[in-house]
Amino acid sequence: SELDTGTNPQSTWMDGVGMNTEGTKQMYDLFGKAFFSYTKPISLVKDLILQVASSDDIVLDFFSGSATTAHAVTQLNVEDGGPRKFTMVQLPEPCDEKSEAYKAGYSNICEIGKERIRRAAKKIAKEHPNVKFDGGFRVLKLEETNMKDVY
Protein backbone atom coordinates (compact mmCIF):
# COMPACT_ATOMS: atom_id res chain seq x y z
CA SER A 1 0.00 0.00 0.00
CA GLU A 2 3.00 2.34 0.48
CA LEU A 3 4.31 1.76 -3.02
CA ASP A 4 3.93 4.83 -5.23
CA THR A 5 4.37 3.04 -8.53
CA GLY A 6 2.17 0.44 -10.16
CA THR A 7 4.93 -2.16 -9.84
CA ASN A 8 4.76 -4.76 -7.10
CA PRO A 9 7.95 -5.27 -5.11
CA GLN A 10 9.68 -8.58 -5.56
CA SER A 11 10.88 -10.65 -2.63
CA THR A 12 14.50 -11.69 -2.81
CA TRP A 13 14.48 -14.35 -0.09
CA MET A 14 13.79 -17.00 -2.73
CA ASP A 15 16.63 -16.10 -5.08
CA GLY A 16 18.28 -19.28 -6.30
CA VAL A 17 15.42 -21.47 -5.10
CA GLY A 18 13.95 -23.86 -7.62
CA MET A 19 10.35 -24.23 -8.63
CA ASN A 20 8.09 -27.27 -8.61
CA THR A 21 9.47 -28.36 -11.98
CA GLU A 22 12.84 -28.80 -10.26
CA GLY A 23 11.18 -30.92 -7.56
CA THR A 24 9.47 -33.04 -10.18
CA LYS A 25 12.81 -33.55 -11.97
CA GLN A 26 14.47 -34.57 -8.70
CA MET A 27 11.80 -37.24 -8.15
CA TYR A 28 12.26 -38.38 -11.74
CA ASP A 29 16.02 -38.64 -11.19
CA LEU A 30 15.48 -40.85 -8.13
CA PHE A 31 12.62 -43.03 -9.36
CA GLY A 32 12.66 -42.76 -13.15
CA LYS A 33 9.10 -41.43 -12.84
CA ALA A 34 7.36 -38.47 -11.28
CA PHE A 35 4.62 -39.59 -8.90
CA PHE A 36 3.41 -36.14 -7.82
CA SER A 37 2.52 -33.08 -9.89
CA TYR A 38 3.79 -30.49 -7.42
CA THR A 39 6.79 -31.87 -5.55
CA LYS A 40 8.69 -29.26 -3.55
CA PRO A 41 12.27 -28.70 -4.72
CA ILE A 42 15.08 -29.62 -2.32
CA SER A 43 16.62 -26.17 -2.72
CA LEU A 44 13.47 -24.49 -1.36
CA VAL A 45 13.29 -26.72 1.71
CA LYS A 46 17.02 -26.38 2.38
CA ASP A 47 16.71 -22.59 2.21
CA LEU A 48 13.78 -22.60 4.64
CA ILE A 49 15.65 -24.89 7.06
CA LEU A 50 18.72 -22.64 6.97
CA GLN A 51 16.54 -19.61 7.77
CA VAL A 52 14.73 -21.04 10.78
CA ALA A 53 16.68 -23.96 12.25
CA SER A 54 20.02 -24.48 13.92
CA SER A 55 22.37 -27.15 12.62
CA ASP A 56 21.45 -29.51 15.47
CA ASP A 57 17.65 -29.09 15.40
CA ILE A 58 14.98 -31.65 14.62
CA VAL A 59 12.96 -30.67 11.55
CA LEU A 60 9.29 -31.70 11.60
CA ASP A 61 7.15 -32.05 8.48
CA PHE A 62 3.52 -32.93 9.23
CA PHE A 63 2.56 -33.44 5.59
CA SER A 64 5.68 -35.12 4.29
CA GLY A 65 4.31 -36.51 1.03
CA SER A 66 7.32 -37.68 -0.94
CA ALA A 67 9.73 -36.81 1.94
CA THR A 68 11.43 -33.84 0.31
CA THR A 69 12.16 -32.45 3.78
CA ALA A 70 13.99 -35.63 4.83
CA HIS A 71 16.01 -35.46 1.61
CA ALA A 72 16.85 -31.79 2.21
CA VAL A 73 17.89 -32.36 5.85
CA THR A 74 20.18 -35.23 4.87
CA GLN A 75 21.70 -33.17 2.05
CA LEU A 76 22.30 -30.20 4.36
CA ASN A 77 23.95 -32.41 6.98
CA VAL A 78 26.42 -33.70 4.40
CA GLU A 79 27.11 -30.19 3.11
CA ASP A 80 27.73 -28.49 6.46
CA GLY A 81 28.38 -31.35 8.88
CA GLY A 82 25.24 -30.66 10.89
CA PRO A 83 23.65 -33.40 12.99
CA ARG A 84 20.08 -32.36 12.14
CA LYS A 85 17.37 -34.95 12.46
CA PHE A 86 13.99 -35.15 10.83
CA THR A 87 10.54 -36.39 11.74
CA MET A 88 8.18 -36.96 8.85
CA VAL A 89 4.45 -37.46 9.41
CA GLN A 90 2.19 -38.72 6.67
CA LEU A 91 -1.15 -40.49 6.70
CA PRO A 92 -1.06 -43.64 4.57
CA GLU A 93 -3.23 -42.14 1.88
CA PRO A 94 -3.84 -44.78 -0.77
CA CYS A 95 -2.45 -44.19 -4.23
CA ASP A 96 -5.02 -44.14 -7.00
CA GLU A 97 -4.99 -47.49 -8.79
CA LYS A 98 -4.57 -45.66 -12.11
CA SER A 99 -1.57 -43.62 -10.91
CA GLU A 100 2.06 -44.18 -11.88
CA ALA A 101 2.91 -44.68 -8.21
CA TYR A 102 0.43 -47.52 -7.84
CA LYS A 103 1.61 -49.11 -11.09
CA ALA A 104 5.17 -48.93 -9.72
CA GLY A 105 4.12 -50.90 -6.63
CA TYR A 106 3.42 -48.15 -4.10
CA SER A 107 0.08 -48.71 -2.40
CA ASN A 108 0.18 -45.49 -0.38
CA ILE A 109 2.06 -42.19 -0.10
CA CYS A 110 4.07 -43.35 2.95
CA GLU A 111 5.71 -46.08 0.87
CA ILE A 112 6.89 -43.50 -1.67
CA GLY A 113 8.37 -41.32 1.09
CA LYS A 114 10.24 -44.22 2.70
CA GLU A 115 11.69 -45.28 -0.63
CA ARG A 116 12.72 -41.72 -1.41
CA ILE A 117 14.66 -41.49 1.85
CA ARG A 118 16.46 -44.75 0.99
CA ARG A 119 17.27 -43.65 -2.57
CA ALA A 120 18.28 -40.15 -1.53
CA ALA A 121 20.70 -41.55 1.07
CA LYS A 122 22.29 -43.82 -1.56
CA LYS A 123 22.59 -40.93 -4.03
CA ILE A 124 24.10 -38.59 -1.43
CA ALA A 125 26.58 -41.28 -0.31
CA LYS A 126 27.62 -41.82 -3.92
CA GLU A 127 28.03 -38.07 -4.55
CA HIS A 128 29.99 -37.55 -1.30
CA PRO A 129 32.07 -40.72 -0.82
CA ASN A 130 34.42 -39.11 1.72
CA VAL A 131 31.67 -37.86 4.03
CA LYS A 132 30.27 -40.22 6.64
CA PHE A 133 26.64 -39.68 7.48
CA ASP A 134 23.73 -41.63 8.86
CA GLY A 135 21.27 -42.27 6.06
CA GLY A 136 19.11 -44.57 8.16
CA PHE A 137 15.66 -43.94 9.53
CA ARG A 138 12.96 -45.59 11.60
CA VAL A 139 9.27 -45.91 10.85
CA LEU A 140 6.48 -45.78 13.40
CA LYS A 141 3.22 -47.13 12.09
CA LEU A 142 0.06 -46.62 14.11
CA GLU A 143 -2.44 -49.43 14.11
CA GLU A 144 -6.16 -49.30 14.66
CA THR A 145 -7.17 -48.81 18.27
CA ASN A 146 -8.56 -51.64 20.33
CA MET A 147 -10.41 -49.17 22.56
CA LYS A 148 -14.15 -48.77 22.34
CA ASP A 149 -15.34 -45.75 20.37
CA VAL A 150 -17.17 -43.64 22.94
CA TYR A 151 -18.39 -40.99 20.51
Side-chain angles (χ1 to χ4, degrees):
S1 65
E2 298 170 352
L3 191 62
D4 290 333
T5 69
T7 307
N8 289 328
Q10 183 175 353
S11 173
T12 58
W13 79 268
M14 289 183 53
D15 284 349
V17 173
M19 304 304 262
N20 291 74
T21 52
E22 178 188 331
T24 301
K25 183 183 179 318
Q26 290 163 344
M27 281 292 287
Y28 190 86
D29 290 345
L30 286 174
F31 288 92
K33 294 179 181 184
F35 300 131
F36 297 100
S37 300
Y38 301 104
T39 305
K40 296 179 295 280
I42 297 167
S43 58
L44 171 64
V45 178
K46 281 174 37 178
D47 197 54
L48 291 170
I49 292 168
L50 288 171
Q51 288 184 44
V52 299
S54 298
S55 66
D56 60 346
D57 280 348
I58 299 171
V59 180
L60 173 65
D61 186 345
F62 259 110
F63 302 98
S64 68
S66 67
T68 302
T69 302
H71 191 162
V73 167
T74 306
Q75 184 71 44
L76 270 176
N77 285 344
V78 168
E79 291 172 4
D80 68 10
R84 293 172 197 87
K85 294 183 172 133
F86 57 81
T87 299
M88 303 289 99
V89 179
Q90 178 62 54
L91 292 173
E93 296 176 45
C95 294
D96 186 313
E97 292 182 14
K98 297 174 185 168
S99 70
E100 289 298 317
Y102 190 86
K103 291 174 188 173
Y106 301 104
S107 59
N108 63 56
I109 293 176
C110 295
E111 298 301 318
I112 298 168
K114 290 187 294 189
E115 185 60 23
R116 180 182 187 161
I117 296 169
R118 289 184 196 102
R119 291 180 186 214
K122 280 184 184 179
K123 183 176 190 266
I124 291 167
K126 187 176 180 180
E127 292 172 349
H128 302 276
N130 298 325
V131 178
K132 293 194 185 249
F133 73 98
D134 182 3
F137 64 98
R138 295 186 183 121
V139 175
L140 172 65
K141 180 179 178 183
L142 298 179
E143 291 294 331
E144 295 294 322
T145 183
N146 62 356
M147 298 182 73
K148 183 180 177 183
D149 185 0
V150 294
Y151 297 106

